[in-house]
Coordinates of all heavy atoms in Angstrom, one line a residue:
H218 N -14.1 13.9 -20.5 CA -14.6 14.3 -19.2 C -13.5 13.9 -18.2 O -13.1 12.8 -18.1 CB -15.9 13.8 -18.9 CG -17.0 14.3 -19.7 ND1 -17.8 15.4 -19.4 CD2 -17.5 13.9 -20.9 CE1 -18.7 15.7 -20.3 NE2 -18.5 14.8 -21.3
L219 N -13.2 14.8 -17.3 CA -12.3 14.6 -16.2 C -12.9 15.0 -14.9 O -13.3 16.2 -14.7 CB -11.0 15.3 -16.4 CG -9.9 15.2 -15.3 CD1 -9.4 13.7 -15.2 CD2 -8.8 16.1 -15.5
K220 N -13.0 14.1 -13.9 CA -13.4 14.4 -12.6 C -12.2 14.6 -11.8 O -11.4 13.7 -11.4 CB -14.2 13.3 -12.0 CG -14.8 13.6 -10.6 CD -15.6 12.4 -10.0 CE -17.0 12.4 -10.7 NZ -17.9 11.5 -10.0
L221 N -11.9 15.9 -11.5 CA -10.7 16.3 -10.8 C -11.0 16.6 -9.3 O -11.9 17.4 -9.0 CB -10.1 17.6 -11.5 CG -8.9 18.2 -10.8 CD1 -7.7 17.3 -10.9 CD2 -8.6 19.6 -11.4
T222 N -10.2 16.0 -8.5 CA -10.3 16.2 -7.0 C -9.0 16.8 -6.6 O -7.9 16.3 -6.8 CB -10.6 14.9 -6.3 OG1 -11.8 14.4 -6.7 CG2 -10.7 15.2 -4.8
I223 N -9.1 18.0 -5.9 CA -8.0 18.7 -5.4 C -8.1 18.7 -3.9 O -9.1 19.1 -3.3 CB -7.9 20.2 -5.9 CG1 -7.8 20.2 -7.4 CG2 -6.7 20.9 -5.2 CD1 -7.8 21.6 -8.0
V224 N -7.1 18.1 -3.2 CA -7.1 18.0 -1.8 C -6.0 19.0 -1.2 O -4.8 18.9 -1.6 CB -6.7 16.6 -1.3 CG1 -6.8 16.5 0.2 CG2 -7.7 15.6 -1.9
S225 N -6.5 19.9 -0.4 CA -5.6 20.9 0.2 C -5.4 20.6 1.7 O -6.2 20.1 2.3 CB -6.1 22.3 0.0 OG -7.4 22.4 0.5
T226 N -4.2 21.0 2.2 CA -3.8 20.8 3.6 C -4.0 22.1 4.3 O -3.1 22.9 4.4 CB -2.4 20.3 3.7 OG1 -1.5 21.2 3.0 CG2 -2.3 18.9 3.1
V227 N -5.2 22.3 4.8 CA -5.5 23.6 5.5 C -4.8 23.6 6.9 O -5.0 22.7 7.7 CB -7.0 23.7 5.7 CG1 -7.4 25.1 6.4 CG2 -7.7 23.6 4.3
G228 N -4.1 24.7 7.1 CA -3.4 24.8 8.4 C -2.1 24.2 8.5 O -1.4 24.2 9.6
F229 N -1.5 23.6 7.4 CA -0.2 22.9 7.4 C 0.9 23.9 7.7 O 1.0 24.9 7.0 CB 0.0 22.2 6.1 CG 1.3 21.5 6.0 CD1 1.4 20.2 6.6 CD2 2.4 22.0 5.4 CE1 2.6 19.5 6.6 CE2 3.6 21.3 5.4 CZ 3.7 20.1 6.0
G230 N 1.6 23.6 8.8 CA 2.8 24.5 9.1 C 2.4 25.7 9.9 O 3.3 26.5 10.3
D231 N 1.1 25.9 10.3 CA 0.7 27.1 11.0 C 0.8 26.9 12.5 O 0.6 27.8 13.3 CB -0.7 27.5 10.6 CG -0.8 28.0 9.2 OD1 0.3 28.4 8.7 OD2 -1.9 28.0 8.6
Q232 N 1.0 25.6 13.0 CA 1.0 25.4 14.4 C 2.3 25.6 15.0 O 3.4 25.6 14.4 CB 0.5 23.9 14.7 CG -0.9 23.6 14.4 CD -1.1 23.5 12.9 OE1 -0.2 22.9 12.2 NE2 -2.2 24.0 12.4
I233 N 2.3 25.9 16.3 CA 3.6 26.1 17.0 C 4.4 24.8 17.1 O 5.6 24.7 16.8 CB 3.4 26.7 18.5 CG1 2.7 28.1 18.4 CG2 4.7 26.7 19.2 CD1 2.4 28.7 19.7
N234 N 3.6 23.7 17.5 CA 4.2 22.4 17.5 C 3.9 21.7 16.2 O 2.8 21.3 15.9 CB 3.7 21.6 18.7 CG 4.3 20.2 18.8 OD1 5.2 19.9 18.1 ND2 3.8 19.4 19.8
K235 N 4.9 21.5 15.3 CA 4.7 21.0 14.0 C 5.1 19.5 13.9 O 5.2 19.0 12.8 CB 5.5 21.8 13.0 CG 5.2 23.3 13.0 CD 6.0 24.0 11.9 CE 5.6 25.5 11.8 NZ 5.8 26.2 13.1
E236 N 5.4 18.9 15.0 CA 5.9 17.5 15.0 C 5.0 16.5 14.3 O 5.4 15.6 13.6 CB 6.2 17.0 16.4 CG 7.4 17.7 17.0 CD 7.7 17.2 18.4 OE1 7.0 16.3 18.8 OE2 8.7 17.7 19.0
D237 N 3.7 16.7 14.5 CA 2.7 15.7 14.0 C 1.9 16.2 12.8 O 0.9 15.7 12.4 CB 1.7 15.4 15.1 CG 2.3 14.7 16.3 OD1 3.4 14.1 16.1 OD2 1.8 14.8 17.4
S238 N 2.5 17.3 12.1 CA 1.7 17.9 11.0 C 1.6 16.9 9.9 O 0.6 16.9 9.1 CB 2.4 19.1 10.5 OG 2.4 20.1 11.5
Y239 N 2.6 16.0 9.7 CA 2.6 15.1 8.5 C 1.7 13.9 8.7 O 1.2 13.3 7.8 CB 4.0 14.6 8.3 CG 4.5 13.6 9.3 CD1 4.3 12.3 9.2 CD2 5.2 14.1 10.4 CE1 4.7 11.4 10.2 CE2 5.6 13.2 11.4 CZ 5.4 11.9 11.3 OH 5.8 11.0 12.2
K240 N 1.3 13.6 10.0 CA 0.6 12.4 10.3 C -0.8 12.4 9.6 O -1.2 11.4 9.1 CB 0.5 12.2 11.8 CG 1.8 11.8 12.5 CD 1.5 11.5 14.0 CE 2.8 11.0 14.6 NZ 2.6 10.7 16.1
S241 N -1.5 13.5 9.7 CA -2.8 13.6 9.2 C -2.8 13.4 7.6 O -3.7 12.9 7.0 CB -3.5 14.9 9.5 OG -2.7 16.0 9.1
I242 N -1.7 13.8 7.0 CA -1.5 13.7 5.5 C -1.3 12.2 5.2 O -2.0 11.7 4.3 CB -0.4 14.5 5.0 CG1 -0.6 16.0 5.4 CG2 -0.2 14.4 3.5 CD1 0.5 16.9 5.1
V243 N -0.4 11.6 5.9 CA -0.1 10.1 5.6 C -1.4 9.3 5.9 O -1.8 8.4 5.2 CB 1.1 9.7 6.4 CG1 1.3 8.2 6.2 CG2 2.3 10.4 6.0
E244 N -2.1 9.6 7.0 CA -3.3 8.9 7.4 C -4.4 9.1 6.3 O -5.1 8.2 6.0 CB -3.8 9.4 8.8 CG -2.9 8.9 9.9 CD -3.3 9.6 11.2 OE1 -4.2 10.4 11.2 OE2 -2.7 9.3 12.3
F245 N -4.5 10.3 5.8 CA -5.5 10.6 4.7 C -5.2 9.7 3.5 O -6.1 9.1 2.9 CB -5.5 12.0 4.4 CG -6.4 12.4 3.3 CD1 -7.8 12.6 3.5 CD2 -6.0 12.4 1.9 CE1 -8.7 13.0 2.5 CE2 -6.9 12.7 0.9 CZ -8.2 13.0 1.2
I246 N -3.9 9.7 3.1 CA -3.6 8.9 1.9 C -3.9 7.4 2.1 O -4.5 6.7 1.3 CB -2.1 9.0 1.6 CG1 -1.8 10.5 1.1 CG2 -1.6 8.1 0.4 CD1 -0.3 10.8 0.9
D247 N -3.5 6.9 3.3 CA -3.8 5.5 3.6 C -5.3 5.2 3.8 O -5.8 4.1 3.4 CB -3.1 5.1 4.9 CG -1.6 5.0 4.7 OD1 -1.1 4.8 3.6 OD2 -0.8 5.0 5.7
A248 N -6.0 6.2 4.2 CA -7.5 6.1 4.4 C -8.2 5.9 3.0 O -9.1 5.1 2.9 CB -8.1 7.3 5.1
Q249 N -7.6 6.5 2.0 CA -8.2 6.4 0.7 C -7.9 5.0 0.1 O -8.8 4.4 -0.5 CB -7.7 7.5 -0.3 CG -7.7 8.9 0.2 CD -9.0 9.2 0.9 OE1 -10.1 9.0 0.4 NE2 -8.9 9.7 2.2
F250 N -6.7 4.5 0.4 CA -6.4 3.1 0.0 C -7.3 2.1 0.8 O -7.8 1.2 0.2 CB -4.9 2.8 0.3 CG -3.9 3.4 -0.6 CD1 -2.6 3.8 -0.2 CD2 -4.2 3.7 -1.9 CE1 -1.7 4.4 -1.1 CE2 -3.3 4.3 -2.8 CZ -2.1 4.6 -2.4
E251 N -7.5 2.4 2.0 CA -8.3 1.5 2.9 C -9.7 1.5 2.4 O -10.4 0.4 2.3 CB -8.2 1.9 4.3 CG -9.1 1.1 5.3 CD -8.6 -0.3 5.4 OE1 -7.4 -0.6 5.1 OE2 -9.4 -1.2 5.8
S252 N -10.2 2.6 2.0 CA -11.6 2.7 1.5 C -11.8 1.9 0.2 O -12.7 1.2 0.0 CB -12.0 4.2 1.2 OG -13.3 4.3 0.7
Y253 N -10.8 2.0 -0.7 CA -10.8 1.2 -1.9 C -10.7 -0.3 -1.7 O -11.4 -1.1 -2.3 CB -9.7 1.7 -2.9 CG -9.8 1.2 -4.3 CD1 -10.5 1.8 -5.3 CD2 -9.2 0.0 -4.6 CE1 -10.6 1.3 -6.5 CE2 -9.3 -0.5 -5.9 CZ -10.0 0.2 -6.9 OH -10.1 -0.3 -8.1
L254 N -9.8 -0.6 -0.7 CA -9.7 -2.0 -0.4 C -10.9 -2.6 0.2 O -11.3 -3.8 -0.1 CB -8.5 -2.2 0.6 CG -8.2 -3.6 1.2 CD1 -7.9 -4.5 0.0 CD2 -7.2 -3.6 2.3
Q255 N -11.6 -1.9 1.1 CA -12.9 -2.4 1.6 C -13.9 -2.6 0.6 O -14.7 -3.5 0.6 CB -13.4 -1.4 2.7 CG -12.5 -1.3 3.9 CD -12.4 -2.6 4.6 OE1 -13.3 -3.4 4.7 NE2 -11.2 -2.9 5.1
E256 N -14.0 -1.7 -0.4 CA -14.9 -1.8 -1.5 C -14.5 -3.1 -2.4 O -15.4 -3.8 -2.8 CB -14.9 -0.6 -2.4 CG -15.9 -0.6 -3.6 CD -17.3 -0.7 -3.1 OE1 -17.7 -0.2 -2.0 OE2 -18.1 -1.3 -3.9
E257 N -13.2 -3.3 -2.5 CA -12.8 -4.4 -3.3 C -13.0 -5.7 -2.7 O -13.3 -6.7 -3.3 CB -11.3 -4.2 -3.6 CG -10.7 -5.2 -4.6 CD -9.2 -5.0 -4.8 OE1 -8.5 -5.0 -3.7 OE2 -8.7 -4.8 -5.9
L258 N -13.0 -5.7 -1.3 CA -13.2 -7.0 -0.6 C -14.7 -7.3 -0.4 O -15.0 -8.4 0.1 CB -12.6 -6.9 0.8 CG -11.0 -6.8 0.8 CD1 -10.5 -6.7 2.2 CD2 -10.4 -8.1 0.1
K259 N -15.6 -6.5 -0.8 CA -17.0 -6.7 -0.7 C -17.4 -7.9 -1.6 O -16.9 -8.1 -2.7 CB -17.9 -5.5 -1.0 CG -17.8 -4.4 0.1 CD -18.7 -3.2 -0.4 CE -18.7 -2.1 0.7 NZ -19.5 -1.0 0.3
I260 N -18.4 -8.6 -1.2 CA -19.0 -9.7 -2.0 C -19.7 -9.1 -3.2 O -19.5 -9.5 -4.4 CB -19.9 -10.6 -1.2 CG1 -19.2 -11.3 -0.1 CG2 -20.6 -11.6 -2.2 CD1 -20.0 -12.1 0.8
K261 N -20.5 -8.1 -3.0 CA -21.1 -7.3 -4.1 C -20.5 -6.0 -4.2 O -20.8 -5.1 -3.4 CB -22.6 -7.2 -3.8 CG -23.4 -6.6 -4.9 CD -24.9 -6.5 -4.6 CE -25.7 -5.9 -5.7 NZ -27.1 -5.8 -5.4
R262 N -19.6 -5.8 -5.1 CA -18.9 -4.6 -5.2 C -19.2 -3.9 -6.5 O -19.6 -4.5 -7.5 CB -17.4 -4.8 -5.2 CG -16.8 -5.8 -6.2 CD -15.4 -6.1 -5.9 NE -14.8 -7.0 -6.9 CZ -13.6 -7.4 -7.0 NH1 -12.7 -7.0 -6.0 NH2 -13.2 -8.2 -7.9
V263 N -19.0 -2.5 -6.5 CA -19.4 -1.7 -7.7 C -18.2 -0.8 -8.1 O -18.3 0.4 -8.1 CB -20.7 -0.9 -7.4 CG1 -21.9 -1.8 -7.4 CG2 -20.6 -0.2 -6.1
L264 N -17.1 -1.5 -8.3 CA -15.9 -0.7 -8.6 C -16.0 0.1 -9.9 O -15.3 1.2 -10.1 CB -14.7 -1.6 -8.7 CG -14.2 -2.3 -7.4 CD1 -13.1 -3.3 -7.7 CD2 -13.8 -1.2 -6.4
H265 N -16.9 -0.3 -10.8 CA -17.0 0.5 -12.1 C -17.7 1.8 -11.8 O -17.5 2.8 -12.6 CB -17.8 -0.3 -13.1 CG -19.2 -0.7 -12.7 ND1 -19.4 -1.7 -11.8 CD2 -20.4 -0.2 -13.0 CE1 -20.7 -1.8 -11.6 NE2 -21.4 -0.9 -12.3
N266 N -18.5 1.9 -10.8 CA -19.1 3.2 -10.4 C -18.5 3.8 -9.2 O -19.0 4.9 -8.7 CB -20.6 3.0 -10.2 CG -21.4 2.8 -11.6 OD1 -20.9 3.3 -12.6 ND2 -22.4 2.0 -11.5
Y267 N -17.5 3.2 -8.6 CA -16.9 3.7 -7.4 C -16.1 4.9 -7.6 O -15.3 5.0 -8.6 CB -16.1 2.6 -6.8 CG -15.4 3.0 -5.5 CD1 -16.1 3.0 -4.3 CD2 -14.0 3.3 -5.5 CE1 -15.4 3.4 -3.1 CE2 -13.4 3.6 -4.3 CZ -14.1 3.7 -3.2 OH -13.4 4.0 -2.0
H268 N -16.3 5.9 -6.8 CA -15.6 7.2 -6.9 C -14.2 6.9 -6.3 O -14.0 6.9 -5.0 CB -16.3 8.3 -6.2 CG -15.4 9.6 -6.2 ND1 -14.9 10.2 -7.4 CD2 -15.0 10.4 -5.2 CE1 -14.3 11.3 -7.1 NE2 -14.3 11.4 -5.7
D269 N -13.2 6.7 -7.1 CA -11.9 6.4 -6.7 C -11.2 7.7 -6.1 O -11.0 8.7 -6.8 CB -11.0 5.9 -7.8 CG -9.7 5.4 -7.4 OD1 -9.4 5.5 -6.2 OD2 -8.9 4.9 -8.2
S270 N -11.0 7.7 -4.8 CA -10.4 8.9 -4.1 C -8.9 8.7 -3.8 O -8.4 9.6 -3.1 CB -11.2 9.2 -2.9 OG -11.2 8.1 -2.0

Side-chain angles (χ1 to χ4, degrees):
H218 290 267
L219 176 67
K220 181 178 286 187
L221 175 67
T222 298
I223 300 175
V224 183
S225 57
T226 52
V227 181
F229 181 78
D231 292 338
Q232 294 74 39
I233 296 177
N234 185 3
K235 302 179 176 62
E236 292 182 358
D237 298 334
S238 295
Y239 71 89
K240 288 186 178 179
S241 56
I242 300 173
V243 176
E244 288 172 358
F245 178 85
I246 295 174
D247 288 342
Q249 310 317 305
F250 285 151
E251 179 67 21
S252 178
Y253 190 90
L254 177 61
Q255 292 302 321
E256 181 65 28
E257 190 181 51
L258 292 177
K259 288 181 179 178
I260 296 176
K261 185 178 180 181
R262 53 187 185 178
V263 286
L264 290 176
H265 60 284
N266 287 329
Y267 178 76
H268 176 55
D269 188 0
S270 59

